[in-house]
Amino acid sequence: MKVPLSWLKEFVAIEVTPEALVERLTFAGLEVEGLTRIGSDFKDIVVGEVISVNPHPNADRLTLCDVATGRETVRVVCGAPNVRAGNKVPFAAIGAVLPNGMKIKSAKIRGEASFGMLCAEDELGLSEDHAGLMQLPCDIPAGTPLIEVVGGPDVVLTIEVTPNRPDCLSILGIAREVAALYGCRLNLPSIKFPETGPAADGPARSATHSVAGGLTVVVEDTEGCPRYTARLLRNVTIGPSPLAMRLRLARCGIRPINNIVDITNYVMLECGQPLHAFDLALLAEGRIVVRRATLGEKMTTLDEVERKLTPDMLVIADAQSPVAIAGVMGGAQSGILATTRDVVLESACFKPALIRKTSKTLGLSSESSYRFERGVDIGGVDWASRRATALMVAHAGAAAARGVVDCFPVEPKGRSIVCRFDRVRDLLGVDIQDNEIASLFEALTLTIVDRSKKSCTVKVPTFRPDLEAEVDLIEEVARLYGLDKIPSALPHSQFVSGSADQAPPERSAQARALRPGEPGVNDAFIRATIMCRDTLVGLGLTEIINYSLVSEKLLTLCDAARTAQRIVLPRPISVDQAILRDALLPQMIETLGRNRSRQIAEAAFFEIGRVFFRNDQQAYTEEEHVALGLMGPVGRTGYDKRSALAETDSFLWLKGILEALCRKLFIRVDERPAYEGQGAGLAFQELTVAAPPALYDLGCFEKNRAMVITLDGMPCGVFGLVREALRREWRLVEPVAILEIRLAPLLERVTTVPAAERLPVYPSVTRDIALRINNRLRHVDIVNAIWKIAPKELTTVELFDIFSSNEIGVGCKSMAYSLTYRSGERTLTDDEVNRLHLGLKDRLRNEISVEIR
């Protein structure tokens, strides 16, 4: 937002240096990004009148101009295409120094003498326009010092306005802030103008209105357009706008066009309300309809580009076709022309999310859409219309029809917030008096409708949508009181373990600060998270960090079923950050795809972050999760990376990483039955087990290539291979393995001290067993069966071979296991081991359907 100080001072009279104002605004939450000085004292630069224009004898694009300077007539060689006899233009005499440092001297240009210079706006430092000479009003006498016409040096502030403060996207909004900061009076411009003709027809708050003169307005979509006003102005004269207005528009980065268009832009910058002017003669049947576009409908916008519209876009149409894209840009076929005589002035309020989506879809952004996307003041719509009408009456000779079309079917309910004085002091840590708090609210034009000894009730104006709760009012007090006046203190904390009476002697002072028996600070979870992160880094993974806000499109790509548990922001800053993520997997897949698109063929990532969702009772819930993702030949080295990547490779590597992580976090991974007091540890179950709440359903995984992770028998995560259709969204050709698991159960045993096991004293004996089994029988079923019938001397069971061939049989395979026996009491003899092994084989035949080879 560009703010010329000369314009700002018309609203609030302040006598401070620009640098002091910049500092004050920045501390009040309006960060000033830049300060630009424009113009100069224009010494030796006056208004010159072009007496005659003749061709240059030696150059086709140059002319010889005789210019009256008020004291004499001089010859000037000029190359501007718009120089005409009778023009009043800036003339820099010999010896003048332009704002860019150029000193004017007499010179011969292509053999002709030149005794000065006729100037364009950019050469005077007034704008960046170099299309031709700056045209000055014809009624200004020649020889008038230019500083009396355009004013002296000015300063333009560039202010970064946060998305929650749309009221500050105007000179008036910034003036309100400055008036409150300096305790000055806010001066508003006049909005009075004469009206002619009969009053407008139609009820005051209906969706359809008529105005005398044949204008009809219909609002079909009152949700997308909660308020629409239109005024009719007759007999306008199209011409250039006043010089002061053109200069202010240029300083704010807007190119002047003509008086009607310039006034709409001027008022938009002044009060933050975008306006649009239609030529009544170009509106079919004199009718305006606010509706959604129809499928396949097209229109050409003011930038001469044909736009294809969709049914979710809001348009302003006449009786036949769209004439403007609501809140974004007008149409070329209904714009203001040099022949325009009757103007329809539109001032409206549109739904921000609708305008934002339309702007993004079309790739079309404008000053209007920038403001509508953030929300305009619905209560200020008519004020802006009145202000523009008053300017058109004054500068375009318009005759304003009596009354206004105001389609405003549902007025918003007034909002009030109770602010407790003690709460203000507690949060800010300053002793600010009740009366001072109330006066700060009034300085911000926040009306106090009720007040007691302990609190006050503030009525929130419609131009402050950011004020929703008591804490917002307290923030306003802090801004105006002065953030630099709030005392700062070094952060401090107490590090205690357990209760106060259990604290170590070196922390006895901190411990005494706690009441006896009160729990102290427990940072076990934080330290466990650090251990988890360090372990994953040590296993070769790279940590990634994503935003907590994601797009609906990304979530739906990965899981279209669990929409009910999502938490949608009521007023998102963009469609790409509209929903709080309810899982980490979508962004993990997106990150892998983004890396693959940049020719990174191998990646191993992890993310530890928070997810948000609605539980079964629809209550908001948040959890810490950890996600892993593997892509490419992870774990391979050298020439081995060039061989084809089997789909099971990434799957098994990811499973191995999880098992290694669990071992580091003291979670059982082996397949032996747990002894008393020991958790069941890590296990994997089939897809028939429901995924835990807040984790994505198995719809984002390849069929039969995903498992549910259980810890101590409780489902707490999912992992598997990403389905092919989802990989194609990011052009991922090779298999991608992903995993997500809740962090809390993963870290439960980090702080426990595992029981020490005695070192074996007696030697072990190993025996092998080969089984011919049906292909449907799983390894886990075999291992569980072995442990179920195993003697106490059996210590380990390891698979070391899988073999299938025609000799084994159709639909069958051979699996070989190594079994280790050891006694804790004595050395086992070969006969004892053979007897134990044969007994296990016999019982295994009865336990499961296998053939011992």
Side-chain angles (χ1 to χ4, degrees):
M1 176 67 193
K2 294 184 181 296
V3 180
L5 287 190
S6 59
W7 197 355
L8 181 67
K9 288 181 179 181
E10 286 190 4
F11 287 84
V12 55
I14 53 172
E15 296 297 333
V16 296
T17 64
E19 291 75 14
L21 180 60
V22 166
E23 184 177 2
R24 194 72 183 271
L25 286 173
T26 301
F27 272 106
L30 294 171
E31 181 182 358
V32 180
E33 289 187 331
L35 184 152
T36 306
R37 299 186 184 275
I38 291 179
S40 68
D41 58 3
F42 301 118
K43 184 180 179 182
D44 296 327
I45 303 177
V46 299
V47 175
E49 180 179 0
V50 180
I51 304 299
S52 63
V53 179
N54 298 299
H56 193 293
N58 302 317
D60 295 337
R61 296 185 179 182
L62 298 179
T63 56
L64 302 179
C65 303
D66 292 326
V67 180
T69 67
R71 293 184 298 178
E72 59 180 337
T73 300
V74 297
R75 173 64 61 90
V76 177
V77 177
C78 180
N82 65 336
V83 62
R84 300 288 186 275
N87 285 357
K88 296 289 181 67
V89 294
F91 169 74
I94 294 173
V97 178
L98 300 182
N100 61 7
M102 176 182 176
K103 186 174 182 179
I104 304 301
K105 301 177 181 179
S106 61
K108 276 195 174 184
I109 302 176
R110 293 290 186 95
E112 294 292 331
S114 180
F115 301 96
M117 178 178 174
L118 303 182
C119 302
E121 290 185 11
D122 66 330
E123 293 164 336
L124 297 172
L126 297 175
S127 75
E128 296 180 358
D129 185 9
H130 193 69
L133 297 180
M134 180 180 182
Q135 300 296 317
L136 301 176
C138 294
D139 58 350
I140 302 176
T144 303
L146 187 65
I147 193 170
E148 296 180 9
V149 179
V150 301
D154 197 4
V155 173
V156 177
L157 304 182
T158 303
I159 300 178
E160 177 64 28
V161 180
T162 55
N164 66 322
R165 291 299 306 273
D167 59 300
C168 289
L169 290 173
S170 65
I171 303 297
L172 176 57
I174 300 298
R176 282 198 199 101
E177 295 290 307
V178 174
L181 290 171
Y182 288 95
C184 299
R185 181 172 174 268
L186 183 65
N187 302 309
L188 295 179
S190 173
I191 58 172
K192 294 181 180 180
F193 55 89
E195 296 179 313
T196 60
D201 302 329
R205 286 292 182 264
S206 69
T208 304
H209 290 258
S210 297
V211 170
L215 174 66
T216 302
V217 177
V218 179
V219 178
E220 295 182 356
D221 187 355
T222 55
E223 180 185 0
C225 178
R227 187 175 188 183
Y228 189 95
T229 69
R231 273 189 164 82
L232 185 59
L233 297 104
R234 298 283 192 181
N235 301 321
V236 300
T237 301
I238 305 300
S241 54
L243 178 62
M245 183 179 293
R246 298 201 310 268
L247 290 175
R248 284 181 175 176
L249 290 175
R251 290 172 187 180
C252 293
I254 294 182
R255 179 175 61 88
I257 298 175
N258 59 51
N259 49 1
I260 298 298
V261 175
D262 290 351
I263 287 171
T264 61
N265 289 328
Y266 186 85
V267 174
M268 176 189 68
L269 295 175
E270 189 175 61
C271 68
Q273 172 65 48
L275 305 171
H276 190 71
F278 297 100
D279 187 333
L280 179 62
L282 300 178
L283 295 177
E285 300 180 13
R287 188 177 181 86
I288 288 180
V289 182
V290 184
R291 60 172 175 83
R292 296 296 179 103
T294 58
L295 186 64
E297 203 165 26
K298 298 179 180 180
M299 71 166 289
T300 301
T301 47
L302 287 171
D303 56 357
E304 301 296 335
V305 176
E306 187 179 66
R307 311 281 180 179
K308 185 177 181 181
L309 309 178
T310 60
D312 56 352
M313 296 178 182
L314 192 68
V315 298
I316 312 300
D318 59 14
Q320 298 176 355
S321 60
V323 294
I325 302 173
V328 180
M329 187 173 286
Q333 70 272 29
S334 63
I336 301 300
L337 306 174
T339 56
T340 298
R341 289 296 173 263
D342 299 327
V343 170
V344 178
L345 179 63
E346 168 196 281
S347 180
C349 178
F350 302 114
K351 186 178 180 181
L354 195 62
I355 304 304
R356 185 183 306 118
K357 185 176 182 180
T358 300
S359 177
K360 294 292 184 182
T361 302
L362 296 176
L364 180 62
S365 181
S366 64
E367 290 283 348
S368 294
S369 66
Y370 183 79
R371 286 164 173 79
F372 279 123
E373 286 175 16
R374 286 151 180 79
V376 300
D377 176 18
I378 195 170
V381 169
D382 186 53
W383 190 95
S385 177
R386 289 178 176 274
R387 171 62 172 157
T389 301
L391 291 174
M392 289 181 185
V393 169
H395 301 298
R402 191 175 305 280
V404 59
V405 175
D406 192 354
C407 304
F408 196 12
V410 181
E411 289 193 48
K413 295 181 179 180
R415 296 183 296 123
S416 297
I417 302 174
V418 176
C419 182
R420 295 163 293 174
F421 298 130
D422 286 341
R423 184 60 176 162
V424 175
R425 288 185 279 268
D426 290 342
L427 274 184
L428 301 185
V430 294
D431 186 16
I432 182 171
Q433 299 302 311
D434 299 351
N435 289 336
E436 187 174 359
I437 295 173
S439 65
L440 292 177
F441 289 147
E442 292 171 348
L444 285 166
T445 64
L446 305 178
T447 306
I448 297 178
V449 295
D450 187 29
R451 179 172 173 179
S452 64
K453 291 183 178 180
K454 294 184 177 181
S455 65
C456 65
T457 303
V458 176
K459 182 180 179 181
V460 180
T462 54
F463 60 80
R464 289 301 302 270
D466 58 306
L467 300 181
E468 298 179 338
E470 181 185 36
V471 68
D472 297 322
L473 293 178
I474 297 174
E475 181 184 358
E476 295 301 295
V477 173
R479 291 194 312 109
L480 263 65
Y481 179 77
L483 296 175
D484 53 333
K485 295 180 182 178
I486 297 176
S488 59
L490 291 175
H492 64 280
S493 62
Q494 295 177 338
F495 185 82
V496 294
S497 177
S499 59
D501 52 357
Q502 296 174 335
E506 60 270 18
R507 293 200 298 273
S508 58
Q510 292 91 332
R512 283 194 299 272
L514 297 171
R515 292 187 296 272
E518 181 179 345
V521 177
N522 184 358
D523 63 348
F525 186 83
I526 302 298
R527 289 195 287 172
T529 304
I530 294 173
M531 180 184 293
C532 178
R533 179 179 287 108
D534 292 344
T535 301
L536 290 171
V537 171
L539 289 170
L541 281 77
T542 301
E543 183 175 14
I544 63 172
I545 300 175
N546 284 298
Y547 290 117
S548 297
L549 296 172
V550 296
S551 67
E552 181 182 10
K553 178 182 177 182
L554 178 60
L555 296 183
T556 304
L557 274 175
C558 297
D559 176 23
R562 294 178 182 258
T563 56
Q565 75 174 20
R566 296 175 186 169
I567 301 176
V568 182
L569 299 189
R571 290 185 294 275
I573 191 172
S574 73
V575 292
D576 294 329
Q577 295 181 322
I579 302 176
L580 285 167
R581 62 182 179 184
D582 56 356
L584 304 181
L585 289 183
Q587 291 168 301
M588 176 61 71
I589 300 172
E590 183 184 42
T591 302
L592 290 169
R594 188 181 300 115
N595 279 266
R596 190 66 187 90
S597 68
R598 284 151 176 81
Q599 299 182 336
I600 298 176
E602 176 184 350
F605 295 141
F606 77 92
E607 179 175 9
I608 298 175
R610 190 163 295 182
V611 300
F612 311 83
F613 58 94
R614 299 176 190 266
N615 60 18
D616 295 337
Q617 291 74 38
Q618 293 299 301
Y620 294 152
T621 308
E622 54 185 270
E623 291 181 343
E624 293 282 345
H625 285 199
V626 57
L628 279 65
L630 301 184
M631 172 184 71
V634 175
R636 296 187 178 190
T637 58
Y639 181 76
D640 192 32
K641 286 189 176 184
R642 298 180 177 272
S643 58
L645 187 67
E647 80 168 2
T648 56
D649 288 357
S650 296
F651 184 92
L652 295 177
W653 268 104
L654 189 63
K655 178 176 178 288
I657 289 173
L658 177 62
E659 290 175 344
L661 175 64
C662 288
R663 289 190 183 95
K664 183 67 176 179
L665 301 177
F666 307 115
I667 297 174
R668 290 187 65 254
V669 176
D670 58 25
E671 295 155 329
R672 290 180 297 176
Y675 54 76
E676 185 178 355
Q678 187 181 32
L682 174 68
F684 305 97
Q685 297 187 8
E686 296 185 45
L687 308 187
T688 54
V689 178
L695 282 184
Y696 269 35
D697 205 347
L698 301 172
C700 65
F701 295 102
E702 200 73 70
K703 187 177 180 181
N704 298 326
R705 294 294 184 270
M707 300 290 285
V708 175
I709 304 167
T710 66
L711 291 177
D712 296 338
M714 295 295 295
C716 62
V718 290
F719 90 107
L721 297 177
V722 179
R723 58 186 171 89
E724 183 180 357
L726 189 55
R727 296 201 317 265
R728 282 200 300 266
E729 293 288 334
W730 288 276
R731 299 183 181 180
L732 293 167
V733 179
E734 297 177 333
V736 173
I738 55 174
L739 174 153
E740 182 166 351
I741 188 170
R742 293 172 56 214
L743 191 60
L746 195 63
L747 303 181
E748 271 186 4
R749 299 184 179 275
V750 173
T751 57
T752 61
V753 179
E757 297 182 3
R758 292 182 58 185
L759 293 175
V761 178
Y762 302 100
S764 63
V765 181
T766 301
R767 293 288 185 270
D768 295 341
I769 181 173
L771 310 175
R772 181 179 178 273
I773 62 172
N774 190 286
N775 283 337
R776 292 191 299 271
L777 194 63
R778 301 176 306 166
H779 161 71
V780 65
D781 299 326
I782 298 172
V783 172
N784 289 339
I786 292 175
W787 282 117
K788 183 177 179 181
I789 61 175
K792 65 178 183 179
E793 289 82 4
L794 183 64
T795 58
T796 61
V797 177
E798 293 183 358
L799 174 69
F800 68 86
D801 185 50
I802 301 176
F803 177 71
S804 60
S805 69
N806 293 334
E807 297 178 1
I808 301 297
V810 179
C812 295
K813 60 184 175 182
S814 173
M815 300 183 69
Y817 292 86
S818 175
L819 281 60
T820 302
Y821 298 88
R822 189 199 302 271
S823 172
E825 301 171 353
R826 57 189 175 83
T827 299
L828 296 175
T829 65
D830 283 345
D831 291 340
E832 290 174 324
V833 173
N834 291 337
R835 187 166 56 253
L836 293 171
H837 194 60
L838 289 173
L840 185 145
K841 287 181 179 181
D842 294 338
R843 289 192 295 274
L844 189 59
R845 290 190 186 95
N846 298 328
E847 187 69 24
I848 54 177
S849 178
V850 297
E851 177 185 332
I852 309 297
R853 298 183 64 198

